[in-house]
């Protein structure tokens, strides 16, 4: 397996750039705890830190995916890195929670541009014989970054200026990446077809509305903001389907969903958003409420859930030619079904070691999927539509995560006082604390059962469909 210098340059730049996105996602749930303490935030107020990134990340995936096809993957990739850089610069200039939230939103838009153009750059500029191995390396970097996120943020939680240090680390990584991206040479030509502006705006509005309602309903309730967004959504959704059916070059090609391989991978990505990512976002908070673990121990437990993302992609890549896709899909779905039930069985009175193992098991589904999911989805379509496919696929994945994460938050908020905030850092065994602990534990247990049930029901048609496709 021989890579050209150009292929190594693209692979290394893309992998290091994508390293930042999972790191910022997995670290947010741990950083959130220190921000709650520093700015004396309630539970609902702290959700803006996570949700605003996910809202804008999901909303801009379709439009950035299409822009990468039309105006160049390199250009879209560079703009995404610039927005990421500007977001962290903004977050360090003015030390206020509102400014941090704004900077996170800017980073979310940049992350969308980097994500869609990154996978498209790999699929169009790496030779076919090297493509599977490249996506395995790509998955390894994603796995490492998922481990680095909670580990780094748990180390910085003890510092009063931990967020500033974290932002500075990101800026130091981004500077050489911005320079390196300028020297990327694209192999494929840009599409010369007209840009579906109407569909782009409608799709962005629909996703933004869906995720906003799911994200901020616990804060807003059924007030004028929620009603207005729901009214906007009900108006835009039928217009979107009508516009995309009539468009010559749609922003979301609905025909992609008729591709069984592409649609199967997209559904699995949705299940991973609900069965792994959304749970991992709130487990640090849950552990602080129901256990006496220190902040460092909580960070270690969360880090264990990301360890499979580091271990499995390089291990699977060594035997990728001998491992059938059906086996990888089956293992992913099996872990999604069983791991939440195992976590449910041990979380109430488990030791530190037991919790580490339970979280490792929870992360196995995502770790295995990193070795094949993106590569199969993007490679299953025509080369000239790879950017559109990457945007559509990542819309399913990130959109699912963006909806499932706030839904878990909404469910949890029903059982938790509006003024939780700072008290999660105190572990007195008072009657009030124990009552609150039982409420949190019961709500999270129900979430785990529902998650496992949904994954089990969904896995049956997926496996039947995928077996027929491969046979």
């Amino acid at each position: 397996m021989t890579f050209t210098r150009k292929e190594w340059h693209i692979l290394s730049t893309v992998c290091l750039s994508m390293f930042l996105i999972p790191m910022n996602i997995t670290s947010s749930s741990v950083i959130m705890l220190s921000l709650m303490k520093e700015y004396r935030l309630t539970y609902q107020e702290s959700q803006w830190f996570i949700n605003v990134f996910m809202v804008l990340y999901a909303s801009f995936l379709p439009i950035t995916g299409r822009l990468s096809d039309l105006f160049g993957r390199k250009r879209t990739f560079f703009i995404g890195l610039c927005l990421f850089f500007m977001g962290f610069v903004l977050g360090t200039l003015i030390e206020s929670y509102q400014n941090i939230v704004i900077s996170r939103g800017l980073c979310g838009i940049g992350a969308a541009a980097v994500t869609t153009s990154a996978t498209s750059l790999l699929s169009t500029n790496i030779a076919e014989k090297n493509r599977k191995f490249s996506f395995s390396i790509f998955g390894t970097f994603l796995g490492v970054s998922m481990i680095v996120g909670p580990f780094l943020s748990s180390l910085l939680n003890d510092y009063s200026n931990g967020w500033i240090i974290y932002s500075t680390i990101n800026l130091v990584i981004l500077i050489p990446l911005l320079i390196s991206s300028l020297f990327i040479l694209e192999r494929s030509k840009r599409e010369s077809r007209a840009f579906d502006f109407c569909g782009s705006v409608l799709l962005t509005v629909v996703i933004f509305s869906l995720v906003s309602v799911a994200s901020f309903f616990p804060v807003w309730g059924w007030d004028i903001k929620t009603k207005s967004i729901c009214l906007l959504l009900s108006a835009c959704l039928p217009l979107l389907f009508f516009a995309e059916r009539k468009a010559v070059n749609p922003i979301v090609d609905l025909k992609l969903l008729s591709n069984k391989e592409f649609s199967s991978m997209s559904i699995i990505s949705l299940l991973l958003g609900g069965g792994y990512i959304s749970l991992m976002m709130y487990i640090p908070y849950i552990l602080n409420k129901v256990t006496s673990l220190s902040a460092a121990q909580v960070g270690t437990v969360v880090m264990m859930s990301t360890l499979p993302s580091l271990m499995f992609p390089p291990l699977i890549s060594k035997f990728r030619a001998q491992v059938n896709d059906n086996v990888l899909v089956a293992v992913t779905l099996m872990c999604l079904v069983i791991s939440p039930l195992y976590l449910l069985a041990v979380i109430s009175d488990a030791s530190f070691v037991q919790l580490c193992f339970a979280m490792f098991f929870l992360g196995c589904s995502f770790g295995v999927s990193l070795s094949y999911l993106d590569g199969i989805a993007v490679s299953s379509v025509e080369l000239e539509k790879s950017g559109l496919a990457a945007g559509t696929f990542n819309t399913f994945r990130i959109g699912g995560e963006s909806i499932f994460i706030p839904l878990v938050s909404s469910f949890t908020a029903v059982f938790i006082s509006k003024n939780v905030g700072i008290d999660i850092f105190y572990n007195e065994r008072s009657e009030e604390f124990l009552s609150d602990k039982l409420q949190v534990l019961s709500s999270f247990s129900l979430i785990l059962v529902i998650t496992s049930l949904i994954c089990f029901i969904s896995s049956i048609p997926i496996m039947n469909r995928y077996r027929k496709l491969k046979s």
Side-chain angles (χ1 to χ4, degrees), residues 217-424:
F217 183 77
V219 182
W220 295 340
W222 190 246
D223 65 0
I224 188 64
K225 295 177 184 176
T226 307
K227 293 176 182 177
S228 299
I229 291 180
C230 288
L231 182 63
L232 179 66
L233 179 62
S234 62
C236 289
L237 196 57
L239 287 175
L240 173 64
F241 282 103
F242 178 78
E244 293 306 280
R245 289 185 65 182
K246 296 294 183 181
V248 178
N249 305 304
I251 187 71
V252 173
D253 191 352
L254 298 178
K255 293 179 181 178
L256 286 175
L257 298 179
S258 64
N259 181 323
K260 293 183 178 180
E261 200 164 16
F262 180 86
S263 59
S264 296
M265 297 302 104
S266 298
I267 294 172
I268 291 174
S269 70
L270 282 174
L271 295 177
L272 287 166
Y276 170 66
I277 299 295
S278 62
L279 296 180
M280 190 181 68
M281 284 294 177
Y282 292 102
I283 281 177
Y285 176 80
I286 301 298
L287 292 177
N288 265 288
K289 292 296 290 182
V290 304
T291 71
S292 57
L293 296 180
S294 65
Q297 287 176 317
V298 170
T300 303
V301 170
V302 175
M303 185 181 70
M304 290 300 296
S305 71
T306 63
L307 193 58
S309 300
L310 173 64
M311 294 173 54
F312 290 135
L315 182 63
I316 293 173
S317 68
K318 292 183 177 180
F319 308 98
R320 190 65 181 88
Q322 291 79 33
V323 178
N324 191 286
D325 291 344
N326 283 334
V327 174
L328 296 176
V329 171
V331 170
T332 300
L333 294 173
M334 182 186 68
C335 292
L336 280 170
V337 173
I338 300 176
S339 60
L341 298 178
Y342 179 74
L343 181 60
L344 170 64
V346 303
I347 193 171
S348 59
D349 56 357
S351 65
F352 173 70
V353 175
Q354 288 176 313
L355 284 172
C356 285
F357 180 77
M359 291 299 292
F360 178 86
F361 188 23
L362 186 69
C364 285
S365 59
F366 195 80
V368 173
S369 73
L370 286 177
S371 65
Y372 70 91
L373 207 62
D374 290 78
I376 292 178
V378 177
S379 300
S380 66
V381 303
E382 297 87 349
L383 186 65
E384 63 273 12
K385 289 187 176 181
S386 59
L388 177 60
T392 304
F393 175 74
N394 283 293
T395 299
F396 270 89
R397 180 170 63 184
I398 308 303
E401 293 171 7
S402 302
I403 293 173
F404 280 120
I405 288 171
L407 280 178
V408 173
S409 172
S410 300
F411 201 96
T412 305
V414 172
F415 294 90
I416 299 175
S417 167
K418 290 184 177 180
N419 298 313
V420 169
I422 194 72
D423 67 1
I424 67 169

Side-chain angles (χ1 to χ4, degrees), residues 28-262:
S28 58
S29 59
V30 182
I31 293 177
M32 182 186 74
L33 299 178
S34 65
L35 292 176
M36 290 175 74
K37 184 176 181 180
E38 183 175 353
Y39 294 102
R40 302 189 66 84
L41 305 172
T42 65
Y43 175 75
Q44 287 87 350
E45 288 171 340
S46 68
Q47 300 313 295
W48 286 87
F49 180 75
I50 294 176
N51 291 342
V52 74
F53 180 93
M54 300 305 294
V55 165
L56 295 175
Y57 188 18
S59 299
F60 280 85
L61 280 170
I63 193 170
T64 54
R66 191 61 176 151
L67 285 172
S68 71
D69 285 335
L70 295 171
F71 303 116
R73 298 165 181 88
K74 172 187 172 181
R75 184 178 297 178
T76 307
F77 184 74
F78 180 75
I79 291 173
L81 288 176
C82 288
L83 289 173
F84 225 101
F85 184 84
M86 291 167 57
F88 280 110
V89 170
L90 179 64
T92 57
L93 289 179
I94 305 173
E95 197 169 347
S96 70
Y97 182 64
Q98 291 77 12
N99 196 65
I100 291 174
V101 169
I102 294 172
S103 71
R104 288 280 291 176
L106 195 59
C107 287
I109 299 174
V114 171
T115 299
T116 52
S117 53
T119 51
S120 186
L121 278 170
L122 286 184
S123 62
T124 56
N125 290 275
I126 302 294
E128 187 175 357
K129 63 179 181 179
N130 298 328
R131 202 169 294 159
K132 281 190 174 182
F133 181 77
S134 297
F135 273 101
S136 294
I137 298 297
F138 179 77
T140 302
F141 270 82
L142 296 181
V144 172
S145 67
M146 291 182 68
I147 292 178
V148 171
F151 177 73
L152 179 62
S153 54
S154 63
L155 290 178
L156 298 177
N157 264 354
D158 294 330
Y159 296 91
S160 58
N161 58 344
W163 167 251
I164 304 296
I165 299 174
Y166 180 81
S167 298
T168 303
I169 292 172
N170 278 271
L171 290 172
V172 170
I173 299 174
L174 280 165
I175 291 173
L177 287 176
L178 283 167
I179 298 172
S180 178
S181 64
L182 292 173
F183 296 95
I184 290 178
L185 299 175
E186 289 192 77
R187 175 182 298 172
S188 59
K189 296 181 180 179
R190 305 173 195 169
E191 290 191 36
S192 57
R193 296 180 290 178
F195 179 57
D196 180 19
F197 179 77
C198 180
S200 302
V201 173
L202 285 171
L203 183 58
T204 300
V205 171
V206 166
I207 295 177
F208 184 82
S209 302
L210 277 172
V211 181
S212 295
V213 170
S215 298
F216 304 123
F217 183 77
V219 182
W220 295 340
W222 190 246
D223 65 0
I224 188 64
K225 295 177 184 176
T226 307
K227 293 176 182 177
S228 299
I229 291 180
C230 288
L231 182 63
L232 179 66
L233 179 62
S234 62
C236 289
L237 196 57
L239 287 175
L240 173 64
F241 282 103
F242 178 78
E244 293 306 280
R245 289 185 65 182
K246 296 294 183 181
V248 178
N249 305 304
I251 187 71
V252 173
D253 191 352
L254 298 178
K255 293 179 181 178
L256 286 175
L257 298 179
S258 64
N259 181 323
K260 293 183 178 180
E261 200 164 16
F262 180 86

